[in-house]
Amino acid sequence: MHEKIMSKRYYHMNTNKYHLRSEYSPCMQAVFSLAIILLTILSFISCKKEDSHPFDTSPTDRMTELLDQYQNTFVNAPNGWRATIFPDSGKGGGFTFYFRFTNDNRVSMLSDIASSTLTQFFESSYRMKGLQQPALIFDTYSYLHILSDPNNEINGGIRGRGLLSDFEFAVDTVTADSVKLTGRFNGSKAFMVPASQAEAQNFASYFGTATDLEFIGNLTTYFKRLVLGSNQFEISINQSIRTITLSWLENNVVQTFTTAYYYSANAVVFVTPLFVNGVNITGFTNVHYNAAENVIDVTAAGTNGQIQTATSPLVVDVNAPRTWYQAALQQDTYWYSPTGFTVEGQPDAFGITTIPNFFYLIFWPQFGGNYDLAAGFVTLENGSLKLPFGLATRSLPTFTSDGRVIFPALGIVGTVPVQYESIFNNTAAQMVDSRGYYLIQTGPTSYDMVSARDAKAWISWRF
């Protein structure tokens, strides 16, 4: 074949240039030219692939090397690490931890979740794993898992979901000075910095007296007042999810602000600052619980102030009691409370949940059309709700012009077993207090009914 092709070629000299001429048709010449071009391109690509390896090792080896590097950083911090974790994609309040990692995949930790976790080390295991990106996984139960526990009684979060926190974290960045992590399931944000020697020796000392804010539970009135110079706020603190709600009066209208918070060095830090009346409140410093006066001293925006007890709201909603009553009456249904009265900060102060098969306490306006069932003790027996006994009050209750509701006693519904008489009598006596109650709407279908006598007793009703 080669000889045949060559026999049909001839060369022609013209001004020292050589031209290849062929007896083949122009179409065939085009095919040959295209083939030569393709071979040239393929040869070029082949050379590029052989000559341009960006890495000398496999992706698996590179991930292993990176995981080892990160673990060495965690282990080699001489005093361990201080970490702050913000559950629920960073929207939740912050919880601070102390971590001390070892090379055999053990981690010891402390946390500001509770007073006991601040001083009692808990050891569990961790591991580094490549999951599309490096991940730090706390793989046995620890203080960190308390935030994720699905039992809402453990952390005060959502039943079945806890505080929407994480114990598996994608590693975003690692340096000798800081680590940034993101929860793999709930998007929690976590930030780690090397701890100081003082923190390693006494982690609780890092916070100073900032955690004295926890003593707000000693202020046993429902209403609590933050006084900062000429500014006054109602303050409510949810210690479980770490949120602070402030309410104030502006042009005779109640304004409300809620922020997550966390404890830092000698400070309570607001995740979102509040700017009001020319004052920028970023948190509290100089926090100190004064047991003698039962107040919490704080400094905010450069002003010294106090959190103290209060016996009434800043503004009384005079229509709330009647609105609360009518909401159930119009639908011929009831309000319910799973735990009854809180008295001086003690939930279920009268022990109604100790009654066997107790389900909830109900308020049913115009029950049967003749009276209000002001405290119906409902039990669950053999899969059915029963109403063995309760307190009847006169229908309608008294609605005062200053925003209180009073329940005049009428009698007993059913028969109260002897062993439960003290529980019933205490509940009934509280219900018919002659000073009555304020109603505070806490949600679209929930109200708190607060004693107008001293605000030291209240019950939360749900619809």
Side-chain angles (χ1 to χ4, degrees):
M1 183 71 170
H2 176 71
E3 293 178 353
K4 183 178 180 181
I5 293 175
M6 292 302 294
S7 68
K8 293 189 177 183
R9 294 179 180 175
Y10 64 91
Y11 290 88
H12 160 70
M13 180 176 292
N14 180 18
T15 62
N16 295 323
K17 294 183 180 178
Y18 293 91
H19 300 273
L20 178 63
R21 308 183 80 180
S22 173
E23 294 178 5
Y24 289 120
S25 66
C27 181
M28 290 300 294
Q29 292 183 47
V31 171
F32 286 141
S33 299
L34 181 60
I36 292 171
I37 292 171
L38 290 174
L39 286 171
T40 302
I41 292 173
L42 289 173
S43 176
F44 177 76
I45 292 174
S46 176
C47 291
K48 291 292 287 184
K49 289 179 68 176
E50 292 177 1
D51 298 338
S52 59
H53 286 301
F55 301 106
D56 295 328
T57 57
S58 69
T60 300
D61 290 340
R62 292 197 301 275
M63 176 61 77
T64 300
E65 182 180 354
L66 189 59
L67 294 174
D68 289 343
Q69 176 186 330
Y70 286 171
Q71 180 162 330
N72 287 336
T73 301
F74 298 154
V75 170
N76 292 332
N79 299 305
W81 295 82
R82 171 167 42 85
T84 305
I85 296 172
F86 299 89
D88 191 14
S89 300
K91 298 189 291 290
F95 297 84
T96 304
F97 291 77
Y98 172 79
F99 294 136
R100 189 166 59 215
F101 298 93
T102 67
N103 253 330
D104 58 353
N105 297 104
R106 305 298 292 175
V107 56
S108 298
M109 65 180 71
L110 298 168
S111 175
D112 67 354
I113 293 174
S115 58
S116 60
T117 62
L118 267 175
T119 56
Q120 298 176 18
F121 273 98
F122 190 101
E123 182 178 301
S124 62
S125 62
Y126 77 96
R127 59 194 167 106
M128 303 296 301
K129 187 173 183 179
L131 300 171
Q132 296 183 327
Q133 73 181 99
L136 171 61
I137 301 174
F138 297 84
D139 53 4
T140 55
Y141 199 90
S142 66
Y143 289 155
L144 189 65
H145 290 72
I146 292 174
L147 307 181
S148 302
D149 199 303
N151 183 351
N152 60 307
E153 294 183 2
I154 296 295
N155 52 38
I158 302 169
R159 181 175 297 178
R161 303 183 70 188
L163 296 179
L164 302 177
S165 193
D166 293 275
F167 46 85
E168 293 187 9
F169 294 90
V171 181
D172 298 326
T173 60
V174 174
T175 69
D177 299 323
S178 67
V179 175
K180 293 183 180 179
L181 309 168
T182 300
R184 296 189 63 244
F185 295 97
N186 291 307
S188 302
K189 301 298 181 183
F191 305 91
M192 295 168 50
V193 296
S196 66
Q197 184 177 17
E199 290 170 52
Q201 293 173 345
N202 186 351
F203 182 59
S205 67
Y206 165 75
F207 303 99
T209 60
T211 54
D212 273 15
L213 190 68
E214 303 285 329
F215 285 108
I216 197 163
N218 290 10
L219 279 58
T220 55
T221 55
Y222 178 88
F223 304 108
K224 299 170 180 65
R225 196 70 38 84
L226 169 64
V227 180
L228 290 173
S230 60
N231 291 302
Q232 291 196 24
F233 305 85
E234 276 188 16
I235 182 169
S236 175
I237 300 178
N238 187 321
Q239 293 170 276
S240 297
I241 63 175
R242 299 224 164 145
T243 60
I244 292 176
T245 298
L246 298 173
S247 300
W248 66 97
L249 196 60
E250 189 173 297
N251 297 324
N252 293 320
V253 177
V254 176
Q255 306 292 329
T256 299
F257 165 84
T258 299
T259 179
Y261 71 92
Y262 63 97
Y263 295 116
S264 184
N266 299 298
V268 178
V269 181
F270 287 8
V271 173
T272 304
L274 170 64
F275 187 79
V276 58
N277 296 334
V279 176
N280 189 28
I281 303 175
T282 60
F284 303 136
T285 57
N286 300 321
V287 182
H288 173 68
Y289 174 60
N290 184 331
E293 298 183 15
N294 198 30
V295 299
I296 300 175
D297 297 315
V298 299
T299 298
T303 301
N304 295 331
Q306 283 185 339
I307 300 174
Q308 53 193 231
T309 61
T311 57
S312 63
L314 275 175
V315 178
V316 177
D317 184 349
V318 296
N319 297 315
R322 193 178 296 273
T323 301
W324 166 80
Y325 185 88
Q326 289 293 328
L329 178 62
Q330 290 172 359
Q331 298 189 44
D332 190 25
T333 187
Y334 54 83
W335 293 96
Y336 73 93
S337 173
T339 57
F341 281 97
T342 295
V343 179
E344 295 195 6
Q346 178 60 49
D348 188 20
F350 305 132
I352 64 175
T353 60
T354 64
I355 297 174
N357 303 315
F358 176 81
F359 199 66
Y360 48 47
L361 194 73
I362 66 172
F363 181 97
W364 196 326
Q366 298 185 25
F367 181 75
N370 300 317
Y371 54 85
D372 290 340
L373 183 63
F377 288 72
V378 177
T379 58
L380 180 64
E381 301 174 33
N382 299 320
S384 299
L385 295 177
K386 307 291 185 182
L387 181 63
F389 56 90
L391 168 69
T393 56
R394 298 185 186 278
S395 181
L396 294 167
T398 301
F399 298 103
T400 67
S401 59
D402 61 355
R404 293 174 293 125
V405 58
I406 302 171
F407 306 103
L410 185 60
I412 299 174
V413 177
T415 301
V416 181
V418 174
Q419 63 269 37
Y420 307 136
E421 282 184 349
S422 63
I423 296 174
F424 173 81
N425 291 338
N426 288 333
T427 302
Q430 182 61 65
M431 195 75 193
V432 298
D433 187 309
S434 60
R435 289 291 300 162
Y437 295 87
Y438 300 112
L439 268 296
I440 311 298
Q441 187 167 8
T442 57
T445 57
S446 60
Y447 281 81
D448 287 348
M449 192 169 78
V450 185
S451 168
R453 178 174 299 279
D454 54 14
K456 291 185 176 182
W458 62 89
I459 186 170
S460 296
W461 295 113
R462 306 175 189 173
F463 193 66

